[in-house]
Amino acid sequence: MGGARATVPGLRLLALDFDGVISDSAPEAFVVAMRTWCALHPASRLCQPAEPLLDEARVPSSADVAGCSLYAPFLEMMPLGNRAEDYAVELHALEAGAVIPGQTAYDAFKADIDAGSLRAFHKRFYRVRAALSERDAAAWQRLMGAYPGVPELLRRRSGECVLAIATSKDRRSVRKLLAAYGIDDLFPETSVLDKEAGVSKRAHLERLGSAHGVVPAQMTFVDDKVNHLDDVAALGVVCALAGWGYNGPREAALARQRGHAVLTLAKVERQLFGG
Ligand SMILES: [Mg+2]
């Protein structure tokens, strides 16, 4: 891959997080989280507004998700968590009507929740997800659409640098979704690092660099979480926040403060490749 040519001088490898950068998986995560929550807490006041999403005989549509009053507050809190158990934390906060203005308040709220109940949620979440995906694979995939224009942009620029994915999702789901978006061929096996490669994005980027013989300064990493960018920036990799992902003005300001670029869907191609 040594002959890759970049429009922006120096860019030889573009590593992308998957959820919140290429794939808008929030509707699916919300459905799985609500089903898990209501299975564990059937008397919760959250189960009534989520009712249209809970029928296990069908896979809800994105419109069903958008119509649920809990979805907007759920999305708003998403930047504060990292793992499936964090959806339980969010739902505990919604149930309690707790005000969570930022990370410190979130971490304090989470510390007060019984760790065993979070583990139980986490475990059940993956069982519920498997059942949902098996019910109707095509409908399940439709809950995780690509962000508009992103697959086309990657296709157009695929000859200019190595494209790679650094994700905590599992490889199998990533591959299926890339195929559904029509861009599976752009990512060879050595360019997709999933949760098997560890949870640290820094470790992912180090491995990508050595696998492709690219030094950190020639790599750009795009993620929708500021803490992941901070982690990777320490290597000397150029880091950028996907402003269309699971973040808001609070995170965009923080990213700028830390010296990361903030990308927008309308300008991302020029921001990454110039011209
Ligand atoms: Mg993400």
Side-chain angles (χ1 to χ4, degrees), residues 5 8 18 76 112 132 134 150 169 178 192-193 215 218 225 247 260 263 265 272 275:
R5 178 183 59 86
V8 167
F18 191 71
E76 205 173 308
D112 277 344
L132 184 74
E134 283 157 22
V150 172
K169 212 182 186 77
L178 287 173
V192 179
L193 295 188
V215 298
Q218 298 172 318
K225 290 244 154 88
N247 53 59
H260 311 311
L263 310 175
L265 214 40
L272 287 177

Side-chain angles (χ1 to χ4, degrees), residues 38-100:
C38 293
L40 294 171
H41 310 277
S44 162
R45 67 188 182 95
L46 303 181
C47 301
Q48 199 273 326
E51 177 92 60
L53 309 177
L54 302 180
D55 177 5
E56 286 177 15
R58 61 183 283 271
V59 175
S61 67
S62 303
D64 294 328
V65 171
C68 178
S69 60
L70 300 171
Y71 186 53
F74 177 88
L75 274 184
E76 205 173 308
M77 250 187 285
M78 258 179 91
L80 302 173
N82 279 308
R83 290 153 45 85
E85 68 183 31
D86 286 296
Y87 299 135
V89 177
E90 287 193 39
L91 296 173
H92 272 291
L94 290 178
E95 168 95 2
V99 178
I100 311 276

